Amino acid sequence: EVQLLESGGGLVQPGGSLRLSCVASGFPFSNYAMTWVRQAPGKGLEWVSAITGNGRITFYADSVKGRFTISRDNSKNTLFLQMNGLRVEDTAVYYCAKEAYSERPDYVDYWGQGALVTVSS
Amino acid sequence: SYKLTQPPSVSVSPGQTASITCSGDNLGETFVSWYQKKSGQSPVLVMYQDSKRPSGIPGRFSGSNSGNTATLTISGTQAFDEADYYCQTWATSTVVFGGGTKVTVL
């Protein structure tokens, strides 16, 4: 059974940093690209970032480029999202998601339960 | 940047057919996926590569994609299908989601 367990969410002040983690199980982690998707309160789904299965290529939405960094540790089946320079508009539930293929994002076949990030003073 | 446009809402009577559209420039030249999102729950993939249903998704869900429009169709809509639905594609090296369509079963 595929499981994706996010952690690291919480309350942070504007300009602060937070690191999300996602521990994966139930599938060969390094064989699949991984993605972060967020949903702000009352808003729709917004793609944030993705990384290929081997970790060599990363992709970012314009809204987070230069502030967020996606990475993965295939030896520990763990995906990360380092978020710096956080803004109030980054407040959202962040979902860790497994892509269907290795080479690039295509479609997500499994989702985590989500981690709430609140940016507020 | 590439944009996908969905109607904000669609209303349907129980047992009837709901059609949710997703529009984008030359959308038919790329694959589209669809996700169902209920409040307080994680999204669920209901359609991928335009018209393929994942295991466990009922046969009343179908999809198509041609020209500038992709469509998710729910036949014999049930109250359980009430949710927000999002289309998604890959364009210009980014993932793009539509704004979402709230399906209400009246």
Side-chain angles (χ1 to χ4, degrees):
Chain A
E1 179 191 6
V2 172
Q3 290 192 345
L4 301 169
L5 186 61
E6 300 103 332
S7 61
L11 174 64
V12 62
Q13 292 187 340
S17 298
L18 214 55
R19 189 194 200 200
L20 299 181
S21 300
C22 172
V23 177
S25 61
F27 65 99
F29 184 66
S30 63
N31 286 5
Y32 295 92
M34 297 293 292
T35 282
W36 290 98
V37 174
R38 69 185 181 184
Q39 185 174 34
K43 303 293 186 181
L45 298 178
E46 180 188 14
W47 174 76
V48 174
S49 182
I51 186 169
T52 55
N54 59 16
R56 292 175 185 169
I57 303 175
T58 57
F59 309 87
Y60 296 95
D62 288 343
S63 58
V64 306
K65 199 173 294 183
R67 300 188 298 122
F68 290 12
T69 302
I70 190 172
S71 63
R72 63 192 296 162
D73 184 340
N74 286 346
S75 68
K76 296 181 179 179
N77 287 2
T78 304
L79 175 72
F80 303 100
L81 185 67
Q82 177 67 44
M83 303 182 291
N84 299 331
L86 282 161
R87 305 167 179 167
V88 171
E89 55 265 35
D90 294 319
T91 295
V93 174
Y94 285 73
Y95 294 98
C96 164
K98 172 189 170 294
E99 291 283 342
Y101 301 107
S102 173
E103 298 82 15
R104 68 161 177 82
D106 190 325
Y107 63 91
V108 168
D109 51 7
Y110 291 95
W111 298 76
Q113 85 287 352
L116 177 62
V117 172
T118 303
V119 184
S120 175
S121 55
Chain B
S1 59
Y2 195 79
K3 185 175 181 181
L4 293 176
T5 300
Q6 298 181 235
S9 62
V10 166
S11 297
V12 60
S13 300
Q16 298 305 302
T17 297
S19 295
I20 308 163
T21 58
C22 173
S23 299
D25 289 342
N26 300 310
L27 186 58
E29 297 179 2
T30 185
F31 281 136
V32 173
S33 307
W34 291 89
Y35 303 91
Q36 177 192 70
K37 176 73 168 66
K38 296 183 178 180
S39 181
Q41 298 183 21
S42 300
V44 173
L45 177 71
V46 296
M47 198 68 56
Y48 67 98
Q49 293 178 354
D50 298 338
S51 59
K52 297 179 180 179
R53 270 183 299 108
S55 172
I57 300 302
R60 62 179 181 273
F61 286 84
S62 62
S64 64
N65 183 19
S66 179
N68 295 320
T69 304
T71 302
L72 177 70
T73 302
I74 311 173
S75 304
T77 307
Q78 301 180 5
F80 186 74
D81 300 326
E82 191 164 278
D84 295 326
Y85 291 83
Y86 295 87
C87 59
Q88 176 246 305
T89 194
W90 167 260
T92 59
S93 297
T94 63
V95 172
V96 182
F97 281 100
T101 298
K102 182 176 185 60
V103 171
T104 302
V105 182
L106 298 172

